[in-house]
Amino acid sequence: MDKDRSKGLSLRKRRGKGDKSKKPVIGPPRQVPMPPMPGARLGPSTQSIGPPQVRSRDKEKVADLVKRRMSTRFPIPGEVGGDVPPMPAIPAMPSIPAGAGAKLPTPGRKGEAKGPDIDISQFRDPAFDPEQFVATVLANATDEEIKDFQRKLKNVRNRTSSDLQKNVFVNRTQFIIISKEIDKLKSEMRVLRGLLTELHTTTDSLKTESSFAKDDVQARKHANRSSVADLTALHMSHLQALWKAVEGAQKFLPSVPGRHIVLESRHWIELNAATWKPRRIVHLVLLNDHLLIATVKKKRVDANSASSSRGPSTKNVADKCWGLSEIEMVDLSTQSSRKGVSHAISLRVGKEAFVYQNESPEKKADLLRQFKKSRDELRKALRAETEDNLRRRDSVSFFAGRDPKLLEHGDLLNSLSAHGSGHSMFTVEGQSRNLRWVETQMDELDENIAHRKFEQAVSSVGKLRALAQSLAKSNSLISELIHLKLDERASKLASIITTDLVENPAQKTAVKANIQWLVKLDYEDRAREAFLEARSATIKKRTRQVRFEGDVALYISQVALVQFTLIKNTVEIYNSCFEYRLASALVRWAKEHIQNYVELLQRQLETVESGSKVYDDCMDITRIHSTMLVDCGLDFKELKGPKIRKERSVEKE
C-alpha cells in the first residue's frame, strides 16, 4: 500500500525524518474577501464585520473529512493495476457417474480422439462385472473413443502377457538358485549340529578329566603300548570269552568287524529310580559301540551234589544292551541330595532312567571316562560315514534324481556308486569339480534352450562334449554320464532348430545359421534332409498355385519359371551352407524335380501335335528356363531336344 502511494499523486506534504512526532494541524477555513460590487458603497458596518465563528464540533468534523479526502488515492489511467478486470467465474466440475471408475479426461493432442482411461485396479476386483463396466464407461462415448479404448485394452493385455512371461522366467531362475541354496544350507546345518555336539562333549570331558589327570596319563601310556598280537584275533578272543562268561551275550553282541571290549566293571548295584532302594547286583560291560548290562543270579544246585561241587554258585545273564548313541550317562555324585547314596550314575535311554551305584569311586570315574571316550570315537566314525554317504548321494543319487531317464542305465549308476564318491571328482581348468557342477551346467543349457539362445546353447554343448572326451581315459564313468545328459539335450535342441529351418526355408541368412548350428551338433544329415524336404514342399505349393486357364503355352511358361527358379535358389543356398562333398544329395534331389517337371510337360502335350506352334513354344520355353540350371552347375540333357512326343509314340506302338 505504501509503495503504491509513493508512486501516485498525493496532497500530503512529505515529512522529514525529524518530523515523525509532529502531526499536521489543520486550521479552520478562512473567509476570502470578495471584491466590492461595482457601484456599491462601503459602509462602516461592512468594514467592521469579521470572520464568522465556527463551533469546535464542526471543526473536528470538517478536519476528519479533509483527512479522508487527502488520504484517498485515485488510480491514474494507464498505470499498472489501474484497470483491473473482475475475476472470472469458476467453471463447474464435470459430473462423474457413480461406479464408473474412469478417470477424468486429460487433454490430448490436437485432432486425436481421447477415450476413457483404464483403471487396472478395477479388473482385480473379484466382483468385477464387464457388462456393467462397459455400459457405465462407454455409455456416451463416440466411435473414435470406443476404438481408442479398445486399443488401450489391447496394449494392457500385451504388456500383462509379456510381464507374466518375464516373471515366469525370473521365478524359475530364482527357484533353481533357492533350491541350491537350501541344499547347501542343509549340509551346513548338519555340520553345525555336529560341531555343537562335539563342543558339548568336549566340555563335559574336560570337566571329568580335570579330576582324574593322573589316571588318564597312566591309561594313555597303557594304550600306547605296542603289541605284536593281531588286534582282530585279540578282539575276537575277548568276545568269545564274554559269550562264555555272560549267558545270552552272543544274542545281543554278535561278531562284527571292529567290535571289541573296552571295559568290564563288576559289583555294581542297581537302584530303584524312584525310591533309590537296592534291587540287584549287575555287571557293566562297555564295548566300543554298545553297553551290556548283565545280572548276577544264583545257580540252582541240588542238595545231594552241593557238597561235591566246587564251582561258583552264581552266573551272569545278559539283561539289557543299548547302543552308545542312545545312552546319556550322568554322574549323580554332585546332584544327589539323599543321604547314604554316593558314587552313583544315571543311565537315560529314551524316556527310561536307570541308576547304578558302586562303592569304589575309581571304578565310577573309570567308567565315565571310558564311556565318553568311546561315544566320541563312535560319533566321529558315524559322522565320517554319513558325510561319505552324503557326498556319494550328492554325486550319484542327486544326479540321477534330477534326470529320471538315467535310472534306465542302472549298471552305470551302480558302477559309479561302487567306486565311491572319490571317483566322481574330476578337474576342470585346474579346479576340482563334482557331478553337482555338471548338473549346474545342464541347468544353464536347459535355460538357454528354453529362451531360444541357440548360439550359447550350441557353444555349451561343444564345451561339455570336449570335457567328456578329455575325461574318457582318466574317468570313463563321468565321461559316459556327461555324454548321456548331452545327447538328450542336443537331440531336443536339434529338433527345435530343425523346426525353424522347415518353417523358414527361403530366408538365406536364417537357413545358413540354422544349418551351421545343426552341423556343430553333429546333425548334418538331419539338416540336409530337412532343408531339401522343405524346399520340395515349397516347389509343390508354388506349382499348385499356378492356374490353368486353357492356354498350354502360358501354363507351361509359368510352371517352368516357378520350378526352375526355386531349384536354382535351392542350389545356391545349399552350396553356401554345405560342403561340396555332399553335392550328390543335391544333384539327386534336383534330378527328381526335373523328372517331375518332364512328366508334367508330357501330360500337357498329350493332345498337342508334334511340330505345332504350341508344341514348339512349350519346348522353347523349357529350353530357355533350363539355362538357369546351367549357370549354377547343373545340366540335364534330356530337356534340350523335343523327344517327348517321339517317346510317347514309341510307347503307344
Side-chain angles (χ1 to χ4, degrees), residues 173-189 398 402 436 440:
T173 305
Q174 293 180 352
F175 178 77
I176 293 174
I177 295 174
I178 291 172
S179 63
K180 294 177 182 177
E181 291 293 334
I182 290 174
D183 292 339
K184 184 179 179 181
L185 183 61
K186 285 182 179 179
S187 61
E188 290 178 353
M189 289 299 295
F398 176 78
R402 293 292 300 273
R436 184 178 288 276
T440 303

Side-chain angles (χ1 to χ4, degrees), residues 325-341:
S325 58
E326 303 173 3
I327 305 172
E328 183 179 358
M329 185 178 293
V330 181
D331 186 6
L332 298 179
S333 59
T334 58
Q335 300 181 8
S336 175
S337 61
R338 184 181 293 272
K339 296 181 179 180
V341 178

Side-chain angles (χ1 to χ4, degrees), residues 352-412:
E352 298 180 354
F354 303 92
V355 180
Y356 300 98
Q357 181 186 12
N358 198 306
E359 297 298 332
S360 174
E362 290 79 6
K363 289 186 177 181
K364 185 198 71 170
D366 195 12
L367 178 63
L368 288 172
R369 185 174 58 256
Q370 294 297 337
F371 174 79
K372 293 181 183 301
K373 181 179 178 181
S374 301
R375 190 177 61 176
D376 292 344
E377 293 177 354
L378 178 63
R379 185 180 291 111
K380 290 180 181 179
L382 291 177
R383 184 170 60 253
E385 184 179 358
T386 303
E387 290 177 356
D388 189 27
N389 293 334
L390 288 175
R391 284 193 295 268
R392 184 175 300 180
R393 182 190 64 82
D394 239 10
S395 57
V396 181
S397 302
F398 176 78
F399 191 75
R402 293 292 300 273
D403 193 358
K405 291 187 177 181
L406 285 177
L407 296 176
E408 300 176 1
H409 304 274
D411 51 348
L412 179 62

Side-chain angles (χ1 to χ4, degrees), residues 225-438:
R225 290 178 183 174
S226 58
S227 178
V228 184
D230 187 8
L231 289 178
T232 304
L234 183 62
H235 293 163
M236 188 61 191
S237 62
H238 290 171
L239 276 178
Q240 291 177 356
L242 178 64
W243 296 342
K244 293 180 180 179
V246 180
E247 183 179 345
Q250 190 173 4
K251 179 181 67 174
F252 292 106
L253 301 171
S255 177
V256 175
R259 176 174 290 172
H260 60 277
I261 298 174
V262 177
L263 176 67
E264 288 191 38
S265 185
R266 301 178 180 273
H267 307 297
W268 285 82
I269 301 174
E270 182 178 358
L271 304 180
N272 192 325
T275 61
W276 292 52
K277 293 183 178 181
R279 296 180 58 186
R280 53 189 173 182
I281 300 175
V282 296
H283 289 177
L284 304 182
V285 181
L286 177 64
L287 292 90
N288 63 325
D289 55 351
H290 284 77
L291 177 64
L292 178 65
I293 308 296
T295 305
V296 179
K297 295 184 178 181
K298 293 183 179 181
K299 292 183 179 180
R300 293 183 180 180
V301 182
D302 296 338
N304 298 329
S305 59
S307 58
S308 60
S309 61
R310 297 181 180 179
S313 60
T314 59
K315 62 178 180 178
N316 298 327
V317 180
D319 184 24
K320 298 179 182 66
C321 186
W322 304 292
L324 296 185
S325 58
E326 303 173 3
I327 305 172
E328 183 179 358
M329 185 178 293
V330 181
D331 186 6
L332 298 179
S333 59
T334 58
Q335 300 181 8
S336 175
S337 61
R338 184 181 293 272
K339 296 181 179 180
V341 178
S342 59
H343 313 305
I345 61 172
S346 174
L347 295 181
R348 297 175 185 175
V349 184
K351 296 182 179 181
E352 298 180 354
F354 303 92
V355 180
Y356 300 98
Q357 181 186 12
N358 198 306
E359 297 298 332
S360 174
E362 290 79 6
K363 289 186 177 181
K364 185 198 71 170
D366 195 12
L367 178 63
L368 288 172
R369 185 174 58 256
Q370 294 297 337
F371 174 79
K372 293 181 183 301
K373 181 179 178 181
S374 301
R375 190 177 61 176
D376 292 344
E377 293 177 354
L378 178 63
R379 185 180 291 111
K380 290 180 181 179
L382 291 177
R383 184 170 60 253
E385 184 179 358
T386 303
E387 290 177 356
D388 189 27
N389 293 334
L390 288 175
R391 284 193 295 268
R392 184 175 300 180
R393 182 190 64 82
D394 239 10
S395 57
V396 181
S397 302
F398 176 78
F399 191 75
R402 293 292 300 273
D403 193 358
K405 291 187 177 181
L406 285 177
L407 296 176
E408 300 176 1
H409 304 274
D411 51 348
L412 179 62
L413 293 177
N414 292 334
S415 300
L416 189 59
S417 300
H419 285 81
S421 60
H423 196 73
S424 61
M425 303 296 294
F426 53 93
T427 303
V428 179
E429 297 179 355
Q431 296 182 356
S432 181
R433 304 292 187 182
N434 57 1
L435 292 180
R436 184 178 288 276
W437 178 84
V438 176

Side-chain angles (χ1 to χ4, degrees), residues 47-66:
Q47 295 176 358
S48 62
I49 297 174
Q53 298 295 327
V54 182
R55 293 180 297 180
S56 61
R57 184 177 61 183
D58 295 337
K59 290 180 180 180
E60 294 178 358
K61 186 175 181 181
V62 172
D64 185 46
L65 292 175
V66 173

Side-chain angles (χ1 to χ4, degrees), residues 16 67 90 99 196 211 224 238 245 287 308 349 375 469 533-534 557:
K67 286 182 181 180
I90 299 176
L196 290 175
S211 59
N224 290 334
H238 290 171
L287 292 90
S308 60
V349 184
R375 190 177 61 176
Q469 189 173 1
E533 289 178 1
S557 175

